[in-house]
Amino acid sequence: MARPTGRSTGAGTAPPRSIDVARLAGVSQKTVSRVMNGEQYVSDEVRRRVLEAAETLGYRLNHAARALASGRTRSIGVVTLGTALYGPASLLMGLERAVRDTGYTLRVVNTVEGDAAGIAGAVDSLLDQGVDGIVVSEPIDEEGDADLAIRADVPFLILGAPPPFTVRRVVTAGLVAHRLAQAVTEHLLDLGHPTVHHLAGPRRWYAARDRMEGWRATLAAHGRREPPVLVGDWSAASGYRAGRELAGDREVTGVFAANDDMAIGLIRALLEAGRRVPEDISVVGLDDIPVAAYVTPPLTTVRQPFDATARDGLKRLVHAIENPDSEPIPADDPPVNLVIRSSTAPPPDRTAVPAPTAAPNRTTVPTRTAPAPRPAPRRTAV
């Protein structure tokens, strides 16, 4: 016999109610409410019976009724930049996947780069819709943002660098970008590169500035020279332009591009100029976009935990919504996942003596002293 779905299948067929679940599970209707609302003080055995009964009957929590009873809309607003760039788009998709397990729905408002109203206008729009909390996943500075004044009683989740406004209740989530930059910069230094060049993202982006500061601080901590910074726009085309500029500098042996797209464009320009990757120049990206493992050579990069960040952030935001007087849940601290592929290697040994012309088949293998060990991030060799 087919399992009931909880939907009306014809005249006279009503969807199951919480009292039906209570009867089947052998518990009170109040206990069913506690289980379905994720409340504490319910034993694991009782919780299991209620959930199995609900699944058998096809029972679904009536969120509309809950909203009327609690004064909440069971909705969460999201302010995000309207872009198809991999990072912001992946984080939004992670939020949409994670929210399914919370009993809330998302209401998304996109901002437009260069719009002075930006975040403030988006927040006002969501507050007018009566959302219970707001996620700000806004990666850029707004024009005139120092004068932003946001007044809201709902809690906010900030993903990435906080925007320049103050609200009463704020939780944060996400891996600090300078840690990612530190991991890739130290990877190249550990391979023996004398320094690391940097292709940064647009200056208005929080992530671009954080990654540049992480790169700069790591070079300083190791006493290495800081080369001039090149600036791109996150696109492969801007990486290609930077690659053409770097290809003529024979002192360049290692480059950290602030995202994978720019790294891929940079590699293309280097190869066209006759510079081998990684034999002449090592290149590292950041994000681990799906194509990164399939370009030539496969790209060394750092994998960003977008789904984990979304789950952790929403868990903490929902707790703040439903427990306004309690302490916030501590944030998770996800590990840095450095994915090592074939685009990085030790630098060429420019002091090696060429093999005598009388012995063309002789191979000279350079030797080098390994760098001092240090605690390393999680590394995945692919």
Side-chain angles (χ1 to χ4, degrees):
M1 182 175 67
R3 176 184 296 175
T5 63
R7 298 179 181 178
S8 177
T9 57
T13 303
R17 300 167 299 166
S18 63
I19 192 171
D20 301 319
V21 177
R23 288 170 180 161
L24 182 58
V27 300
S28 69
Q29 195 171 357
K30 177 62 176 177
T31 298
V32 172
S33 176
R34 286 175 176 165
V35 172
M36 302 308 292
N37 287 317
E39 296 179 12
Q40 300 177 354
Y41 312 115
V42 179
S43 70
D44 292 341
E45 172 60 21
V46 170
R47 190 181 303 277
R48 180 189 63 78
R49 282 162 42 201
V50 170
L51 293 176
E52 286 183 355
E55 183 178 3
T56 298
L57 295 174
Y59 172 76
R60 290 189 177 185
L61 196 61
N62 189 331
H63 295 301
R66 283 185 67 185
L68 289 174
S70 66
R72 300 195 186 109
T73 62
R74 304 293 297 180
S75 63
I76 292 173
V78 180
V79 179
T80 185
L81 184 68
T83 177
L85 287 171
Y86 182 76
S90 295
L91 196 51
L92 179 58
M93 290 176 61
L95 290 169
E96 291 174 335
R97 284 189 288 265
V99 79
R100 298 170 189 170
D101 297 327
T102 67
Y104 286 75
T105 58
L106 289 188
R107 300 182 182 181
V108 180
V109 175
N110 291 314
T111 60
V112 179
E113 187 169 0
D115 178 8
I119 298 175
V123 169
D124 285 342
S125 173
L126 291 169
L127 292 175
D128 287 344
Q129 298 177 52
V131 296
D132 300 320
I134 293 178
V135 180
V136 178
S137 179
E138 182 70 12
I140 62 172
D141 289 334
E142 293 293 335
E143 298 291 345
D145 54 13
D147 298 324
L148 282 179
I150 303 293
R151 295 180 180 178
D153 292 328
V154 302
F156 278 64
L157 166 64
I158 307 300
L159 298 177
F165 60 75
T166 302
V167 291
R168 188 165 60 90
R169 288 181 292 163
V170 175
V171 295
T172 60
L175 198 62
V176 180
H178 77 261
R179 286 182 56 202
L180 307 178
Q182 177 185 6
V184 297
T185 306
E186 288 190 337
H187 170 61
L188 291 172
L189 295 179
D190 287 347
L191 287 172
H193 293 270
T195 190
V196 178
H197 288 67
H198 184 45
L199 171 56
R203 304 273 189 186
R204 286 187 61 197
W205 286 66
Y206 296 120
R209 297 201 299 269
D210 285 349
R211 293 170 195 184
M212 183 170 62
E213 288 306 313
W215 161 79
R216 178 172 288 139
T218 305
L219 290 183
H222 289 266
R224 304 303 175 88
R225 175 180 65 87
E226 181 185 315
V229 176
L230 298 176
V231 178
D233 60 11
W234 301 126
S235 71
S238 68
Y240 182 85
R241 291 190 293 270
R244 294 187 64 177
E245 182 174 344
L246 291 174
D249 187 346
R250 296 291 164 173
E251 296 300 314
V252 177
T253 66
V255 182
F256 162 38
N259 78 335
D260 289 346
D261 284 315
M262 291 195 298
I264 290 170
L266 189 148
I267 290 174
R268 172 66 181 270
L270 294 175
L271 295 177
E272 287 185 356
R275 304 300 301 278
R276 299 169 301 167
V277 178
E279 293 85 354
D280 298 324
I281 300 179
S282 290
V283 179
V284 183
L286 197 151
D287 281 340
D288 196 24
I289 63 176
V291 75
Y294 303 100
V295 295
T296 303
L299 182 65
T300 294
T301 183
V302 174
R303 182 175 299 147
Q304 290 224 58
F306 295 113
D307 283 352
T309 297
R311 285 194 304 270
D312 177 52
L314 280 179
K315 176 182 69 177
R316 302 180 72 237
L317 179 62
V318 169
H319 177 81
I321 292 171
E322 299 182 350
N323 304 276
D325 298 324
S326 65
E327 292 295 320
I329 298 176
D332 291 340
D333 189 16
V336 176
N337 191 356
L338 177 63
V339 183
I340 300 176
R341 299 193 177 103
S342 303
S343 68
T344 53
D349 188 345
R350 293 169 180 166
T351 64
V353 178
T357 55
N361 294 326
R362 181 179 177 182
T363 302
T364 300
V365 180
T367 60
R368 63 179 67 256
T369 301
R374 64 170 59 84
R378 177 188 296 174
R379 296 168 184 248
T380 302
V382 179

